[in-house]
Amino acid sequence: MGKTGRDWTQIYAIYGMDDWQTPVFLLIHAIIFSISSVMFLIYFDTVCYSFQMILPAVFTAGFARFAAGFTGSVTALSGVCLFYAAGNIFYSSVALRWEMAQRMVSAVHDWSTVRTALDVGCGRGILLNAVAMQLKKEGSSGRVVGLDRKNTTLSTLRTAGIEGVQEYVTCREGDARRLPFPDNYFDVVVSAGFVHTVGKEFGQKTAAASAERMRVLGEVVRVLKGGGVGVVWDLVHVPEYVQRLHELKMEDIRVSERVTAYMVSSHIVSFRKPCQHVVGPSEVRLDWRFNGIC
């Protein structure tokens, strides 16, 4: 059991996996490479002889043994790496997502004042339900909206029902680049492992994809109330987000330690929207509605 009193089997039983094909694909290849490395070991002399027979002018007896040993070692190492990759992706998709959801919830220090929250890219609802459980724990009358570009409403509401927080959760289909909510609407906006997927049709490293991700971040800031808190856990592109948040004049920007997820680096970024938010060169928006804090 982890800190939350739950193990990965419980989490997997409730939420399943959105992409189980990738770890299965990696696992199958890991098994193939592992069997091949064992066969190299068992039939080492036969492999050496085969090398000599194929290219006798190149493979002397000593060099053939070296080539066979090197090939077998690379094959074995490849099998180990593939096993690790499959395990890391499986762990990242289930247990790590739950753990990071708990960390993201902890990044908001006072849930008692939260009345409206938004999860951008909610998927099957791991983070969405973690927020709802926190609202329930606080005895809050607040609600959390889960937004996803795919129609996952039924599966998301099903997991909320299993977790016993369905009365705190609503779901909506929409585009994160054009959030269907008015300005200064939410006390808290969260997003886990989603923003990096926006704009991928342009290629992850292109300027167009980066612009699309920045649009999502700008929308998150737009729908936050003055004094509201945003928390984003994402992969690879976190330095871009931090730079953009500074450009948008956000306050209390904090970046967590590095966590390996899906075989790449990830971080949690949290920030607070100032009560007096400078939108453009000559435009300032004041928001005094965040429970008297601002």
Side-chain angles (χ1 to χ4, degrees):
M1 293 288 185
K3 294 180 180 179
T4 60
R6 311 180 73 169
D7 59 32
W8 69 267
T9 56
Q10 292 176 311
I11 303 166
Y12 180 81
I14 296 172
Y15 297 99
M17 285 180 63
D18 289 325
D19 179 20
W20 54 267
Q21 295 95 334
T22 300
V24 169
F25 175 83
L26 292 172
L27 185 61
I28 291 172
H29 282 76
I31 293 171
I32 293 172
F33 273 81
S34 298
I35 293 174
S36 299
S37 66
V38 172
M39 297 300 289
F40 263 94
L41 182 63
I42 294 174
Y43 298 104
F44 183 75
D45 290 334
T46 303
V47 173
C48 294
Y49 179 73
S50 298
F51 281 178
Q52 286 182 283
M53 290 294 293
I54 294 170
L55 292 172
V58 175
F59 289 105
T60 62
F63 186 61
R65 293 182 68 84
F66 170 79
F70 179 78
T71 304
S73 299
V74 170
T75 303
L77 183 60
S78 298
V80 171
C81 291
L82 287 167
F83 273 119
Y84 174 77
N88 184 264
I89 290 174
F90 181 81
Y91 172 71
S92 300
S93 299
V94 185
L96 182 61
R97 269 189 175 269
W98 177 262
E99 180 184 339
M100 298 306 284
Q102 306 312 306
R103 294 190 192 183
M104 293 175 71
V105 167
S106 299
V108 180
H109 301 298
D110 186 7
W111 282 96
S112 64
T113 60
V114 175
R115 295 292 176 268
T116 54
L118 171 67
D119 178 7
V120 180
C122 63
R124 298 191 183 187
I126 290 182
L127 176 57
L128 181 73
N129 292 336
V131 171
M133 282 186 268
Q134 185 64 33
L135 293 173
K136 184 177 181 179
K137 179 181 176 182
E138 294 286 342
S140 171
S141 59
R143 295 292 183 271
V144 56
V145 179
L147 182 133
D148 203 275
R149 56 192 168 192
K150 298 179 291 185
N151 187 9
T152 58
T153 299
L154 291 179
S155 61
T156 305
L157 292 177
R158 180 186 66 81
T159 61
I162 295 172
E163 297 283 19
V165 292
Q166 63 271 26
E167 68 272 22
Y168 293 88
V169 171
T170 58
C171 294
R172 186 163 179 176
E173 186 176 356
D175 188 346
R177 291 166 288 195
R178 292 176 291 276
L179 292 177
F181 307 103
D183 297 354
N184 305 308
Y185 190 77
F186 293 100
D187 300 317
V188 172
V189 179
V190 297
S191 181
F194 170 77
V195 180
H196 74 278
T197 67
V198 177
K200 64 181 180 181
E201 64 271 19
F202 300 109
Q204 289 287 355
K205 296 183 178 181
T206 64
S210 177
E212 294 297 287
R213 293 190 293 269
M214 295 307 102
R215 285 181 64 185
V216 174
L217 207 60
E219 283 290 280
V220 168
V221 169
R222 179 184 66 80
V223 300
L224 263 178
K225 292 179 181 178
V229 176
V231 188
V232 176
W233 171 52
D234 208 37
L235 318 177
V236 182
H237 305 292
V238 169
E240 294 179 17
Y241 307 160
V242 173
Q243 180 180 348
R244 182 57 179 157
L245 289 170
H246 280 295
E247 292 171 355
L248 291 170
K249 310 301 182 184
M250 295 298 102
E251 299 176 346
D252 297 333
I253 300 172
R254 300 183 182 185
V255 182
S256 73
E257 73 280 5
R258 177 182 181 274
V259 176
T260 300
Y262 302 100
M263 301 297 293
V264 297
S265 64
S266 74
H267 300 268
I268 294 173
V269 181
S270 62
F271 61 93
R272 184 173 65 86
K273 183 176 179 178
C275 302
Q276 179 175 295
H277 183 218
V278 179
V279 180
S282 60
E283 182 183 358
V284 176
R285 290 181 184 172
L286 300 176
D287 195 329
W288 305 91
R289 294 179 293 169
F290 195 71
N291 301 299
I293 294 177
C294 294

